Amino acid sequence: MELRKSETSDPLTMEEMTAQTFLFFVAGSETSSSVMGFSLYQLALNPDIQEKARTEMNEVMAQHDGKLTYEAVQDMKYLLQVMYETVRMYTVTPFLLRQAVSDYKVPNSNYVIQKGTTVIMPMDALHYDPDIYPDPQRFDPERFSTKETEKRHPMTFLGFGKGPRYFVAVDEFIETNVDPRRNIFKSVHFQKHCQ
């Protein structure tokens, strides 16, 4: 198949394509529900962020005649920032495995990752690095504003992976997480319950 040809990595085998398809259906559901739950938790802890997201959603829906379209979802910039910050803080995949397709000299060192070496990238180590995300324990959707995102290297957020094994259903994932919030936000305000 032409789609399996790649300049940068080994082509996907039929078994890998089958596994990816299975993962798309099975893991996508769990991932969406986990991110939804964690984002609602954070919105309950941060009523100012919750109100800002609700206001934006209502305004965007009004601009799109109450229809949740792809364009409407893309216009919900702040809500998307909330989702990205949730994925940063509550990474569903604890690590990514990648195999070096060529020798790679690590900058500012004498270390070389040899072709064929499997590299493990721990997501929490990256997503909670205070040099990349100051005060990483704080929920701050502004980290994913265009201005802030442009300041960081593109490989500092790997919540959906990168490269040829990138999570191909990211748009579907986003819509799956926006649609329920739209219905919930209409009439429910979340708050932290203390005894």
Side-chain angles (χ1 to χ4, degrees):
M1 290 176 63
E2 283 296 309
L3 293 174
R4 294 192 312 187
K5 291 184 179 177
S6 173
E7 299 287 325
T8 60
S9 65
D10 293 333
L12 290 172
T13 65
M14 188 55 72
E15 290 80 15
E16 288 172 322
M17 284 191 280
T18 303
Q20 288 293 318
T21 302
F22 178 74
L23 186 63
F24 174 80
F25 289 110
V26 175
S29 172
E30 175 61 29
T31 302
S32 294
S33 62
S34 293
V35 171
M36 174 65 74
F38 285 125
S39 68
L40 293 177
Y41 170 71
Q42 282 296 334
L43 291 172
L45 296 177
N46 298 281
D48 55 325
I49 294 172
Q50 180 182 162
E51 192 53 40
K52 185 174 179 178
R54 176 181 288 106
T55 299
E56 178 194 62
M57 181 176 285
N58 289 335
E59 289 172 358
V60 169
M61 292 306 294
Q63 293 168 2
H64 290 271
D65 300 319
K67 295 180 180 142
L68 185 66
T69 62
Y70 177 82
E71 291 76 17
V73 171
Q74 296 305 308
D75 287 346
M76 295 180 192
K77 305 289 187 211
Y78 191 71
L79 190 61
L80 293 174
Q81 289 172 217
V82 168
M83 187 206 58
Y84 285 124
E85 178 67 349
T86 301
V87 172
R88 180 195 69 81
M89 289 186 73
Y90 302 97
T91 306
V92 179
T93 305
F95 57 87
L96 293 178
L97 292 174
R98 295 296 184 262
Q99 190 173 64
V101 295
S102 62
D103 287 354
Y104 176 78
K105 184 181 179 306
V106 178
N108 303 318
S109 78
N110 293 323
Y111 189 75
V112 175
I113 300 172
Q114 295 181 348
K115 179 180 179 175
T117 301
T118 299
V119 178
I120 300 172
M121 295 175 282
M123 295 298 90
D124 282 350
L126 182 63
H127 291 169
Y128 279 84
D129 184 333
D131 291 334
I132 300 169
Y133 300 102
D135 194 8
Q137 299 292 334
R138 183 172 51 91
F139 186 76
D140 181 11
E142 292 300 329
R143 296 180 206 277
F144 290 93
S145 67
T146 302
K147 179 182 172 187
E148 291 301 313
T149 302
E150 288 173 351
K151 292 179 185 177
R152 291 190 301 268
H153 190 281
M155 298 303 281
T156 59
F157 176 71
L158 298 175
F160 301 106
K162 292 279 192 220
R165 304 296 193 264
Y166 178 71
F167 180 52
V168 296
V170 80
D171 286 336
E172 179 67 27
F173 174 83
I174 290 169
E175 286 191 38
T176 301
N177 273 275
V178 169
D179 192 34
R181 283 190 190 122
R182 176 178 62 111
N183 293 321
I184 292 170
F185 274 7
K186 285 181 182 175
S187 59
V188 178
H189 288 259
F190 297 94
Q191 62 185 23
K192 182 179 177 183
H193 177 71
C194 298
Q195 293 188 15

